[in-house]
């Protein structure tokens, strides 16, 4: 059957992917969730019409959200994940024995259930005893916390719908407070290429710069995301992402990866001129 | 009018771009050439149904083909461009006063005419007196040459159709012969993401490794190309692309760029683990 | 979610319908069956990638398969339906109290199950005690029959795949034998507009003309089928479809319809000149 | 090149046609005009994004606009065409030697020029000395006329944009006044299938019924138009379209046609039950 899913990049650009089967389609309290089977990307998780992740390239996104911070501070013990109900971030975090606590604040219980059923390779990680899932609003959860985590990872789709509050200056301030003195905050940071998303990049960067002393942006190739050029934010109270990398220590851990390597670490912080300028405009 | 151009990435994935107007459509002796006007990407040059370049992101591709080599050897004087009838590579080369000769071997005269008419911002560079265009087959042109150039840039679409001979081991050997002792060869190197193109990456890399002593692959974000993750080959008789970079010399030239910077230079050679493995398989 | 089903009319023409949800997708022993929910057409039953019927306009197809013959002979008692596992033809037949027996030969049991679950407004008719379903090949079923039915309705998709044998001269001959002396055979007859289907129209018509003394073709507007212009065959041993219509008798039955009326009956046999010529070519 | 034109039927249904080349694209003072080359439909004239006509099936539309009235009154001498700048209606009218005057009121001179260049098989008819083209608004042109024509044909796309005034009760009243006592008005009448167009059908019919004593609707199969089921209006001061047909006289003229025939004439006025009900609702 000739069935195609279109992921809208802009009003006049879309990535069109042939669908073998729609496995799941339901409106949760927060968002519309679909799971599609495709030949090229394997299973695709779609939320409110946008690709959240695909089996083929989710490893790139999740490795970049986790290992950059871990290579800077391999002693991280307590981690908070905002969003991340698919389990991809947690799966990467579970590769570190040193991590004791992984709190996941995923507002949508249905998302977790769907991923456990259709994407167990990722979501089964959520069943580990180190992991606690809180089905709450991320802002509300973090509000009262103080000096609790070594690492906060913001794995939230975009500043529309359910995750809106996670893109405010107030929220980044709360993250700062919830982190220990050497704490690191990592966030998915949208794409610099198409105009509307580039504008989001700027707004997020501006707010994070106002909240943390050390802020750097890095990038990765994620073909299923709009433009394939995706940014990530590294914000920290103490560590510089390049100067403070513990290359030997991290490599000694022998963490299995398919995208990240310390060899790559410096490279991903080297941004194209036009992206540097985009960020400098709001620093 | 609801008119869409689909660029096929695989049988089941395509990038779909709304077209405002088709400016040109004609079969040349070599290939079918189309020029489309779009809102998001500006004008798009399409050859045999595939995107060759778009006004919006061609700067990324052309800067990466030119400035990496120039930063390694800013004294380059004689350059050969295989393909490149659109003038994008030449436009970047013209930023260097030190370059004396730019020979362009573009088999298709119609391509040059079309680009001069519709993409003059690129193609007008071809009119400069330093530039000589040869409408010949690249393999035939290079066969008799010996010790002629400092830099050869292979800007040819893919190993199908007109450019087939440009992807053979014989051809890379001829390039080696045509280069001076410190010569550099740069080639567009396809994408590592989708299987068929990843296979091309391997075949090209294998042949280049057999022809040059120093071979490295680097990468850039080119959103209009399949997967957005594009590779380039750096092959050299003498220079190492990282060890031998002349950072200060190049920066002193004050070349205007929107993507490339020496700060970026090392980063683009840091490849993801899965791409490293792809290449190592054939080294 | 931006999900679209394309029904291919020709290599270069397709009807594209937005899908709200894919309710069902499975390969049976005979064919691939999909059920899609759409806003414009309601549920759509798709077999091997082609639209079989839609909730919005199936009434046109099914009324035209049944009531034309019933208006010519309102005393029909024994009916055979070849194909028709969706129950649409049977639903129309059930409007006649005079009909005693409805035998349905539907090779694919899964099709019946799927329709009972997703299209009960049609398929629930199959549960009536007058109805017997035989999950057999149509040709095999009819081979041994002689003088058994007043009406045979061939409701089979097209001469590819499962239904191939239903489009042969041998099969039409077996239908002739299985009918009483005043028997009528009705078949869906493809569309005259696109070339490949027009060719099928000719092949079917040629074979039916060779098998029955009275053969006429009529037409209806079925927007979800290729071109929207659909033909039906009326073949008979004794009755002429126009001269022998029992207009008063049929109207006295007060059969509820949304497309067919005896007022329409003559009109639908008046074919466009180009369709007449298509048919005459093979008579 | 994979280039597709989508003709929107509803928000969720479109006919998608592969384009070989866009021959013309320009905004006139009235509307946006495109001419596309396609394999299946030949050249397509697109106005404001909608298919106006295709080379493959325009004959159906134009024959139905002309010959139905001519068979009712083969003595028609003076004809007014509102719209019709493509020349298709005039080409059919030119088949009648008895017609003396054909006035064409086409507001858009560019449309005529484009059709003369790209669709000469139709538009060359406009050059005949019997034909006078007035580039005026149809309502303005007809306002002062009284008892001038035997036949008025309203060949105007739809009640949006340039042709809005042609769908008002005032306009139908002006047509009535401009006709002789035995005058006939024919109009394209949209499609009854999709809801928005069915609503237009009703609004037009209601206004015409209020303006003429005899009003009947007939239909044709036009595959390139939405749903393929297209209606036409026959409104008259004196003639009944069925009772007053001059079958012998018309057939004696030996007019060459590919769709219309007097044999077909009665059939096309036999409307499906659901269309009858749609019309009765507003009579």
């Amino acid at each position: 059957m000739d069935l195609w899913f279109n992921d809208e990049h802009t009003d006049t650009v879309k990535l069109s992917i042939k669908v073998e089967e729609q496995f799941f389609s339901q409106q949760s309290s927060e968002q519309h969730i679909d799971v599609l089977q495709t030949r090229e990307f394997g299973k695709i998780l779609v939320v409110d019409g946008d690709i959240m992740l695909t089996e083929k390239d989710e490893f790139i996104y999740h490795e970049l959200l986790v290992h950059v911070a871990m290579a800077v501070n391999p002693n991280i013990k307590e981690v908070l994940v905002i969003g991340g109900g698919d389990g991809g971030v947690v799966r990467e975090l579970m590769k570190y024995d040193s991590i004791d606590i992984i709190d996941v604040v995923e507002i949508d219980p249905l998302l977790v259930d769907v991923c456990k059923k259709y994407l167990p390779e990722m979501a089964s990680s959520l069943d580990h005893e180190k992991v606690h899932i809180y089905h709450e609003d991320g802002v509300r959860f973090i509000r009262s916390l103080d000096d609790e985590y070594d690492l906060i990872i913001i794995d939230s789709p975009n500043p529309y719908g359910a995750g809106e509050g996670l893109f405010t200056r107030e929220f980044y301030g709360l993250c700062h407070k919830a982190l220990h003195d050497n704490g690191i905050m990592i966030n998915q940071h949208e794409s610099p290429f198409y105009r509307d998303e580039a504008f989001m990049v700027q707004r997020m960067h501006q707010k994070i710069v106002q909240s943390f002393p050390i802020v750097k942006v890095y990038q990765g190739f994620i073909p299923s995301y709009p433009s394939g050029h995706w940014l990530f934010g590294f914000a920290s109270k103490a560590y510089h992402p390049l100067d403070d990398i513990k290359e030997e220590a991290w490599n000694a851990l022998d963490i299995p990866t398919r995208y990240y390597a310390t060899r790559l670490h410096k490279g991903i912080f080297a941004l194209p001129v036009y992206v540097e300028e985009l960020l400098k405009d709001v620093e």
Side-chain angles (χ1 to χ4, degrees), chain A:
Chain A
M1 189 175 48
D2 206 34
L3 187 68
W4 292 78
F5 163 64
N6 300 317
D7 189 54
E8 230 182 50
H9 292 181
T10 75
D11 283 357
T12 60
V13 180
K14 51 194 184 192
L15 189 68
S16 212
I17 304 172
K18 194 170 182 182
V19 173
E20 296 190 327
E21 192 174 342
Q22 185 184 40
F23 282 149
F24 185 83
S25 179
Q26 203 173 303
Q27 180 71 30
S28 77
S29 57
E30 305 300 326
Q31 52 207 352
H32 201 278
I33 302 172
D34 288 275
V35 179
L36 307 174
Q37 177 64 39
T38 72
R39 197 171 77 205
E40 188 62 46
F41 287 99
K43 292 202 199 75
I44 301 183
L45 176 64
V46 178
V47 171
D48 286 343
D50 293 325
I51 291 178
M52 279 285 283
L53 58 84
T54 83
E55 280 191 320
K56 186 182 174 88
D57 67 355
E58 59 82 12
F59 75 95
I60 304 172
Y61 177 75
H62 291 123
E63 289 190 15
L64 285 170
L65 274 179
V66 168
H67 303 303
V68 174
M70 294 305 298
V72 170
N73 179 12
N75 294 319
I76 281 170
K77 290 188 165 43
E78 294 148 314
V79 184
L80 172 64
V81 182
I82 307 282
D86 51 62
V89 163
V90 172
R91 180 197 59 203
E92 295 304 312
L93 290 168
M94 292 298 295
K95 294 176 178 172
Y96 297 88
D97 292 339
S98 58
I99 294 178
D100 294 330
I101 289 175
I102 302 172
D103 290 338
V104 176
V105 182
E106 169 56 62
I107 198 167
D108 192 349
L110 184 61
L111 186 79
V112 174
D113 292 345
V114 167
C115 291
K116 283 189 176 172
K117 178 160 184 195
Y118 293 103
L119 297 158
E121 196 270 326
M122 271 182 272
S124 63
S125 66
L126 298 170
D127 291 330
H128 195 276
E129 57 178 12
K130 285 183 188 179
V131 180
H132 293 86
I133 304 184
Y134 301 86
H135 293 305
E136 287 179 44
D137 174 65
V139 181
R140 186 182 303 231
F141 179 88
I142 208 170
R143 187 156 281 147
S144 57
L145 301 183
D146 195 25
D147 194 17
E148 293 266 355
Y149 297 105
D150 298 305
L151 173 62
I152 296 176
I153 295 175
I154 307 173
D155 175 17
S156 175
N158 62 46
Y160 305 121
E164 195 173 351
L166 308 179
F167 291 78
T168 60
R169 192 178 162 191
E170 186 209 358
F171 177 67
Y172 299 127
L174 292 171
C175 286
H176 185 277
K177 187 160 70 75
L179 284 167
H180 295 317
D181 284 350
N182 61 357
I184 296 171
M185 180 183 88
I186 301 288
N187 66 303
Q188 80 81 359
H189 211 304
E190 303 293 321
S191 167
F193 188 70
Y194 295 117
R195 208 188 53 171
D196 285 1
E197 285 171 333
F199 188 56
M200 277 199 274
V201 168
Q202 288 192 310
R203 281 166 51 209
M204 290 162 71
H205 186 60
Q206 186 171 39
K207 290 169 189 162
I208 296 171
V209 163
Q210 290 168 347
S211 307
F212 282 84
I214 299 166
V215 178
K216 296 288 169 195
V217 169
Y218 60 101
Q219 67 195 349
F221 294 92
I222 308 181
S224 71
Y225 284 3
S227 90
H229 188 173
W230 213 253
L231 302 182
F232 299 85
F234 178 103
S236 161
K237 293 185 174 182
Y239 294 118
H240 187 281
L242 299 173
D243 300 344
D244 296 326
I245 181 174
K246 315 295 181 305
E247 203 157 349
E248 278 180 42
W250 192 85
N251 286 328
L253 293 173
D254 211 21
I255 304 290
T257 56
R258 293 167 58 205
Y259 191 90
Y260 179 80
T262 53
R263 184 182 35 71
L264 190 85
H265 190 103
K266 279 188 189 170
I268 61 181
F269 283 91
L271 304 177
V273 172
Y274 85 92
V275 183
E276 283 286 355
E277 287 171 359
L278 193 75
L279 297 173
K280 264 180 208 150
D281 272 2
V282 296
E283 277 175 3

